[in-house]
Amino acid sequence: MFARNVSIRLKPNSSVEFTKLVEDETIPTLRKQQGFEGELTFLASGGAEAVAISLWDSKEHAEAYARTGYSEVLKNLNKFIDGTPRVQTYEVANSTFHKVAATVAA
């Protein structure tokens, strides 16, 4: 399993609208992507920053989404974003939410 971690600085007073758009548009879009497993979105206290973590069944599916779907999601959220989001991809080593195969090298 792989995770895409997107760190976002939000424009002032936009956290409520950002959260609503993620719920109404981003998550349904993600659910249509092959290999999508789940989404967690966090808001920092005060609403100035957000972190979105999407979970994928394979590195290939996470990378395919990065190439094809992410730009559309980002375009929809852009009115709430200040600057360029920082994206990192990780192999999931442990999870209480999903069964993770023990494939991470020691």
Side-chain angles (χ1 to χ4, degrees), residues 29 68-77:
T29 298
T68 61
Y70 177 66
S71 62
E72 187 67 28
V73 167
L74 192 59
K75 186 172 91 174
N76 290 338
L77 295 173

Side-chain angles (χ1 to χ4, degrees), residues 36-55:
F36 175 73
E37 295 280 332
E39 170 76 11
L40 298 166
T41 306
F42 304 92
L43 285 176
S45 181
E49 295 179 28
V51 173
I53 300 172
S54 58
L55 300 171

Side-chain angles (χ1 to χ4, degrees), residues 35-97:
F36 175 73
E37 295 280 332
E39 170 76 11
L40 298 166
T41 306
F42 304 92
L43 285 176
S45 181
E49 295 179 28
V51 173
I53 300 172
S54 58
L55 300 171
W56 301 87
D57 66 354
S58 69
K59 182 177 182 179
E60 292 76 24
H61 287 143
E63 290 173 346
Y65 167 72
R67 286 188 310 273
T68 61
Y70 177 66
S71 62
E72 187 67 28
V73 167
L74 192 59
K75 186 172 91 174
N76 290 338
L77 295 173
N78 199 39
K79 59 187 163 198
F80 306 119
I81 297 173
D82 185 14
T84 302
R86 181 173 168 230
V87 180
Q88 294 178 293
T89 303
Y90 299 92
E91 185 170 0
V92 177
N94 304 93
S95 172
T96 60
F97 297 109

